[in-house]
Amino acid sequence: MLTTHKCLSLLSLQRLCTEIHRHIESIAPIDWHETDFARTCSMGRINRISFVPITSIPKFNQHRDFIMALKATIFKAELQIADMDRHYYQSHMLTIARHPSETDERMMVRLMAFARHADPALCFGKGLSDVDEPDLWKKDLTGAIDLWIEVGQPDEKRLLKACGRAAQVVVYSYSSNSGIWWNQISNRLERARNLTVIDLSSVSSQALARLAQRNMQLQCTVQDGQLWFTDNSDTVQLDLTIMKSRIESHPNAARN
């Protein structure tokens, strides 16, 4: 039996990571960026999985950018936003790098999160490519983090750390098992006063994923907390459920 961190080339390791991602997703959906790993394999078949820090793989750090960008797929989006709740009306030209292990569904949830919090200072983080960055964030001129946005089902340790770094943390979950995930960690996040958790129904996220194209022209309308995404032929209404609201520091605090 061979261990990947000793016997696989960097390219083979990247391909193996992608293949095992597909294998595990077929068994139980997980938030993939939580699983840095090396894999144990024999004769090209998976016999067991061993999780170790991926940074322990020889030369990984030296080639981190190469590995993470090796097969990233670039999407372009012209996004017109009419947010009547915040009185924000702007057009954004966005470039989105989809990580090799990321689905269209997850990428489009990131795009929805951008639309809901749109601001000239809001930008996409490295997300799946760097565990130290969120999917989106907004910083002020001093570099302080005003807003930290996660997509998926991060664990409580990651969220508590984010709440300590940012003024506001927002999570958008979208899996059909989001309720189970939240029930397991919600008690340990009660003290996170600046945390908001929002669930996007799996029906909505899957419909949103069908709008994904390499070059997109989309309109997003926000009114009374409801979102609609429209391309040239289809309109998708997104159903959002607030699972946890942040505790406002004063009565007049506004949503970012």
Side-chain angles (χ1 to χ4, degrees), residues 1-2 40-49:
M1 184 172 291
L2 307 177
T40 301
C41 61
S42 175
M43 301 297 290
R45 297 179 61 114
I46 304 167
N47 291 330
R48 66 182 178 87
I49 302 172

Side-chain angles (χ1 to χ4, degrees), residues 58-79:
K59 298 185 178 180
F60 174 82
N61 288 322
Q62 178 183 350
H63 299 281
R64 175 189 294 269
D65 292 339
F66 170 76
I67 294 173
M68 294 304 179
L70 186 61
K71 287 187 177 181
T73 304
I74 302 301
F75 287 73
K76 302 282 189 178
E78 179 182 349
L79 179 62

Side-chain angles (χ1 to χ4, degrees), residues 12 35 45 47 57 63 88 104 121 152 155 159 180 186 206 228:
S12 297
T35 57
R45 297 179 61 114
N47 291 330
I57 300 172
H63 299 281
Y88 184 91
D104 284 347
D155 62 32
L159 291 178
I180 297 174
S186 58
Q206 291 166 15
W228 293 265

Side-chain angles (χ1 to χ4, degrees), residues 151-209:
V151 169
Q153 298 179 1
D155 62 32
E156 70 274 13
K157 291 181 180 179
R158 180 174 177 84
L159 291 178
L160 289 172
K161 183 178 179 181
C163 287
R165 295 182 60 187
Q168 182 187 179
V169 176
V170 180
V171 178
Y172 287 97
S173 63
Y174 60 92
S175 173
S176 59
N177 64 359
S178 291
I180 297 174
W181 160 76
W182 181 240
N183 288 335
Q184 290 175 341
I185 68 171
S186 58
N187 290 339
R188 298 189 288 273
L189 292 169
E190 289 181 353
R191 68 182 187 273
R193 297 171 60 88
N194 57 336
L195 174 65
T196 300
V197 180
I198 299 172
D199 180 55
L200 174 66
S201 72
S202 58
V203 172
S204 294
S205 63
Q206 291 166 15
L208 189 60

Side-chain angles (χ1 to χ4, degrees), residues 4 21 86 88-89 97 148 157 163 176 179 184 200 226 230:
T4 58
H21 173 206
R86 294 192 299 145
Y88 184 91
Y89 307 94
W148 178 295
K157 291 181 180 179
C163 287
S176 59
Q184 290 175 341
L200 174 66
Q226 298 294 314
T230 304

